[in-house]
Amino acid sequence: MRRSLRFKTVSLLALATLILSVASLIVAVKILSNNIEDNYRNRAVELSSTVALSIDSEAVSDLKTKVIDIYNRTPNKVTSDYWGSDEFVSYVTNYSELSNDPAYSSLKWYLKEIQDANDIDCAYLYWYDKADNVAVYLVDAAEEDACPIGCIDTLVDASQEVLQNPDRGPVSFYTDSEPYGKLITAASPIYSYDGGLVGYAMIDIDMEEISS
């Protein structure tokens, strides 16, 4: 049975409307997703900058000196790529005495307060080692699977910007990698009272949960 011209016209119009609606929805979701990411980038930068300006920089300087002294004296360095291995555990054990250091305890308490007040995934302190092209953890206040003192991260491409210009202001970048997943990360330099660079205030926001 042949369809009437009117039926065909209505069907085509309905199909065209459906296609346009789906296309509009895809565009709207993309715009919304970009806006959300931009908002969280800005939030991460603001938080890392606030931490960098308000944290006890002398405590950061004191702890960094102790961590890097052990780091430089340790011949066999093992990155977080080998997390959980005997070699990794043996490496981070070199820093275990610092877990009772007053500077470490006070800095970790402060970072946990920042995390709890702002409901973020993680606040931590880094020292970027330009010679070895890595980042060394000074303090990690994460609730789960916190990186131990002295833990080494291999730098992702996005963080090279920080290493190439360590004195610049806050930067943010998006990463999607194992084992950390989808994160927005912001880094802000921390300066001592005499103007020396002593570390970086880092903020991670988990975008997996936000996206879902």
Side-chain angles (χ1 to χ4, degrees):
M1 180 178 179
R2 293 185 177 181
R3 301 288 187 182
S4 67
L5 179 59
R6 180 181 179 184
F7 178 84
K8 291 179 179 178
T9 302
V10 171
S11 297
L12 287 172
L13 286 173
L15 180 60
T17 300
L18 177 62
I19 292 172
L20 286 172
S21 298
V22 171
S24 298
L25 181 60
I26 292 172
V27 171
V29 168
K30 181 65 176 177
I31 292 173
L32 179 60
S33 177
N34 289 340
N35 287 341
I36 289 173
E37 183 175 323
D38 287 344
N39 287 338
Y40 278 97
R41 276 181 182 271
N42 292 336
R43 185 182 181 204
V45 165
E46 289 170 359
L47 282 174
S48 69
S49 181
T50 298
V51 171
L53 291 171
S54 60
I55 202 166
D56 184 347
S57 62
E58 296 307 303
V60 177
S61 179
D62 179 55
L63 181 63
K64 188 265 289 187
T65 299
K66 295 174 182 176
V67 170
I68 298 305
D69 178 59
I70 296 172
Y71 176 84
N72 289 334
R73 289 189 284 107
T74 303
N76 299 317
K77 300 177 178 67
V78 183
T79 70
S80 58
D81 297 329
Y82 299 93
W83 182 282
S85 68
D86 292 342
E87 293 80 6
F88 177 81
V89 173
S90 176
Y91 165 71
V92 296
T93 300
N94 290 295
Y95 303 86
S96 58
E97 63 187 59
L98 294 180
S99 61
N100 297 318
D101 188 278
Y104 173 80
S105 300
S106 65
L107 292 169
K108 187 168 184 178
W109 176 85
Y110 175 77
L111 293 175
K112 286 180 69 68
E113 290 290 299
I114 294 293
Q115 284 180 179
D116 294 343
N118 294 279
D119 192 27
I120 58 172
D121 186 55
C122 186
Y124 54 105
L125 303 180
Y126 256 169
W127 174 254
Y128 283 100
D129 187 282
K130 192 170 184 178
D132 291 343
N133 202 39
V134 296
V136 183
Y137 279 86
L138 305 179
V139 185
D140 183 3
E143 294 293 340
E144 297 181 5
D145 297 327
C147 291
I149 309 171
C151 179
I152 307 168
D153 271 355
T154 304
L155 296 184
V156 297
D157 291 341
S159 60
Q160 293 291 339
E161 182 180 358
V162 178
L163 199 61
Q164 291 168 5
N165 189 5
D167 290 323
R168 67 159 296 172
V171 297
S172 67
F173 43 90
Y174 180 92
T175 55
D176 184 2
S177 61
E178 292 292 341
Y180 301 116
K182 296 178 181 178
L183 295 174
I184 283 179
T185 299
S188 293
I190 302 170
Y191 296 99
S192 62
Y193 295 132
D194 60 5
L197 180 64
V198 297
Y200 285 85
M202 311 293 296
I203 297 293
D204 280 353
I205 297 180
D206 186 350
M207 295 304 291
E208 295 269 13
E209 183 177 349
I210 292 168
S211 296
S212 63

